[in-house]
Amino acid sequence: MSAVLKRHRFFLLVAAISGILYLALSLPTYGQTASSDAATSSAPDTWAASADAGVSFPLPRLTVEVGNTENREDVSLTLQILFILTILSLAPSILVLTTGFTRMIIVLSLTRSAMGTQQMPPNAVLIGLALFLTLFVMAPVGREINEQALEPYLEGEIDFKEGIQKAEAPLRDFMFRQTRRKDLALFLNVAKIESVQTKDDVPTYVLIPSFVISELKTAFEMGFLIYLPFLIIDMVVASTLMSMGMLMLPPILISLPFKILLFVLVDGWHLITRSLILSFN
């Protein structure tokens, strides 16, 4: 028992000091008791009235009421607010699935994987670069949405429903230009939509997944072409090490400097960024 006490005497001392400090802080002193009694005796009648009411200090009250309305505009405004909040909560998904962000981030991530630089550049850098490239590519679409839908709606020239339709048109046109007919036909056949004469006959819920899988295919095609030169470097380095009998030396350790050197000499970031931007035209 004494050996245990000696071994843990430091922790016991800390616990004892903590208990003493807790008791000293929790017990009121005589001066504090007297001052509190004096403050209670000299309090105004308003404090006494509030104490009788069961409230010692004012608190904010938040109530949620559900009632009936006689004006349809109130219901319409409430539904519009709920719709806007839903759109804001789904904004990241809309940004990823209806713009060129998917292609950007996949190509940049495959480039990093092909070089074998692990986490360099970091994910935050790749996502930021993909985001700004997406804003650059989508700037004409955003400008058209602002001129045709947002400004007329804010000025009261069109209503909310018409504003949504006019804002949807430029975005649909952008997605149509990047969507393959084969992918679009797939979802049209699954949805059993046969009478399609113009682009307006294609529903948006059919266009968006068609656009997404087309973007995925384009991104992986570009990533494959980026992988090829780095794959050749890995094969050359691996065969060289095997011919020299250096089987225990990882080839990635030797090929990584050559990959970085090749990427810098050809100005790889410039070529990839240019290819990504021009691929949307």
Side-chain angles (χ1 to χ4, degrees), residues 5-281:
L5 293 177
K6 289 181 181 180
R7 182 180 303 174
H8 300 284
R9 58 185 178 182
F10 176 74
F11 300 100
L12 294 175
L13 180 61
V14 172
I17 294 175
S18 302
I20 293 173
L21 291 176
Y22 175 76
L23 292 176
L25 294 176
S26 61
L27 294 176
T29 59
Y30 175 76
Q32 292 176 347
T33 305
S35 61
S36 62
D37 294 339
T40 304
S41 61
S42 61
D45 296 337
T46 56
W47 285 95
S50 63
D52 294 338
V55 180
S56 58
F57 54 90
L59 288 175
R61 183 176 63 181
L62 179 63
T63 59
V64 178
E65 298 180 358
V66 179
N68 298 325
T69 179
E70 298 179 356
N71 191 357
R72 293 184 178 181
E73 295 181 356
D74 296 338
V75 179
S76 178
L77 180 61
T78 303
L79 293 178
Q80 290 179 14
I81 293 175
L82 291 176
F83 178 75
I84 292 174
L85 292 177
T86 304
I87 292 298
L88 291 177
S89 63
L90 297 177
S93 300
I94 295 174
L95 173 65
V96 170
L97 298 179
T98 61
T99 63
F101 183 83
T102 303
R103 186 187 305 185
M104 302 285 188
I105 191 62
I106 290 178
V107 171
L108 294 177
S109 300
L110 289 177
T111 302
R112 183 179 64 181
S113 300
M115 294 179 63
T117 54
Q118 303 296 328
Q119 295 297 323
M120 288 296 166
N123 291 330
V125 175
L126 293 184
I127 294 175
L129 179 59
L131 179 61
F132 279 101
L133 289 177
T134 304
L135 293 176
F136 180 81
V137 171
M138 300 298 296
V141 179
R143 191 181 305 113
E144 190 174 354
I145 292 175
N146 182 48
E147 294 175 354
Q148 297 183 3
L150 183 58
E151 291 183 356
Y153 174 73
L154 295 178
E155 294 176 358
E157 299 177 359
I158 57 177
D159 57 2
F160 182 76
K161 183 178 180 180
E162 187 178 358
I164 292 295
Q165 293 176 353
K166 289 190 175 182
E168 189 181 20
L171 193 59
R172 282 172 55 91
D173 184 64
F174 170 79
M175 289 190 289
F176 269 117
R177 293 199 306 266
Q178 312 302 326
T179 304
R180 293 179 173 85
R181 293 185 179 181
K182 180 180 178 181
D183 299 329
L184 187 60
L186 168 65
F187 287 94
L188 287 175
N189 293 331
V190 173
K192 297 181 180 180
I193 300 176
E194 299 178 356
S195 58
V196 177
Q197 302 296 332
T198 61
K199 294 181 179 179
D200 296 334
D201 298 332
V202 179
T204 304
Y205 70 89
V206 172
L207 176 59
I208 291 179
S210 306
F211 169 75
V212 171
I213 63 174
S214 296
E215 287 292 288
L216 291 175
K217 182 177 180 180
T218 304
F220 278 96
E221 287 176 352
M222 297 179 67
F224 172 75
L225 295 177
I226 294 173
Y227 249 98
L228 285 180
F230 298 110
L231 179 62
I232 294 174
I233 293 177
D234 286 334
M235 294 177 62
V236 171
V237 171
S239 60
T240 303
L241 292 178
M242 290 183 62
S243 63
M244 296 175 62
M246 304 174 67
L247 301 179
M248 301 302 294
L249 184 63
I252 186 65
L253 193 64
I254 305 301
S255 63
L256 181 58
F258 292 99
K259 291 180 180 180
I260 297 177
L261 179 62
L262 174 65
F263 197 74
V264 171
L265 289 178
V266 300
D267 200 359
W269 292 116
H270 174 82
L271 293 177
I272 291 175
T273 303
R274 182 177 180 273
S275 300
L276 282 172
I277 294 174
L278 295 180
S279 65
F280 288 96
N281 293 330

